[in-house]
Amino acid sequence: MVIDTWDPQQYDKFERQREQPFYDLLTLVKPQAALRIVDLGCGTGKLTRVMHERLQAAETVGIDRSESMLASARTDGETPGLRFEAGTIEAFADRRLEGDRRPGLIFSNAALHWVGDHDALLQKLTAMLAPAGQLAFQVPAQHDDATHTTAAALAASEPYAAALGGWRKPQPVLTVERYARLLYQYGFRDPIARLIVYPHVLESRDAVVDWVKGTTLTDYARHLAPAVFDRFLEDYRERLLPQLDPSRPFFFPFKRILCWGQLA
């Protein structure tokens, strides 16, 4: 049984900053008549609803592994053609879809980085698309940032290495050049792959810990007992903050990769 460590309130503390990449990715999508959409890693479903309405889709299915994130999506009222279901991206990618069940758009905003082997994953998702189907996804590219390297180094030290039982947080995100090559290789003739640095201005460097607690650190929380994770979080704070600029407000540059392609 997978422990659900996602907290919608914690995640939404930086809602405005997290939303901009979604809108940038959505602008790359070409509207189509009677569009069927699958949104992988839809979270609270708020932005899934925006996409469904803006693209005037015939059907949109939002999929997320977190029941706590989906709870708000299911209580925001019904929208014709829009529904949500619990499930993993891996399980969806292994489905066999035929005929009019194949989506015209597979969309994923800040979720594919939780799944390994992107070469194979993108190939599977491409094979699920309808003719002239589109694939659009955004992944954070912060794995070389102190926020991530500090967590990895701490996890490799005791007592956390023993508590994690040899588990290490995977890092599946590829280079922007690699994504462009894969999309072309899989049949997207004019793929777009962009590395964008989003300039976030936070109240102070302390806010960075809150930011990461709502995303990257959820993986560590899932693999550690609650009391051990609380200690991990405090040790993480003590290690990370001295590496960051003490200026207020704090400038937090965040790298993301946005990709889009349409099958020829």
Side-chain angles (χ1 to χ4, degrees), residues 52-67:
H52 177 73
E53 293 173 349
R54 286 201 177 185
L55 295 179
Q56 299 180 351
E59 179 185 58
T60 300
V61 180
I63 299 175
D64 201 278
R65 71 182 182 187
S66 171
E67 287 285 2

Side-chain angles (χ1 to χ4, degrees), residues 149-218:
T149 59
T150 299
L154 181 60
S157 68
E158 296 299 347
Y160 307 114
L164 290 167
W167 176 84
R168 295 288 184 90
K169 181 174 171 55
Q171 196 305 97
V173 175
L174 307 175
T175 65
V176 65
E177 297 90 349
R178 179 62 179 162
Y179 284 122
R181 289 182 181 277
L182 284 176
L183 291 176
Y184 183 81
Q185 177 183 333
Y186 295 155
F188 300 97
R189 289 297 164 235
D190 295 299
I192 293 173
R194 296 172 178 166
L195 176 64
I196 300 178
V197 179
Y198 287 88
H200 301 312
V201 179
L202 308 182
E203 182 178 349
S204 71
R205 61 183 177 180
D206 297 87
V208 175
V209 177
D210 257 351
W211 179 295
V212 181
K213 184 181 176 183
T215 54
T216 298
L217 295 187
T218 61

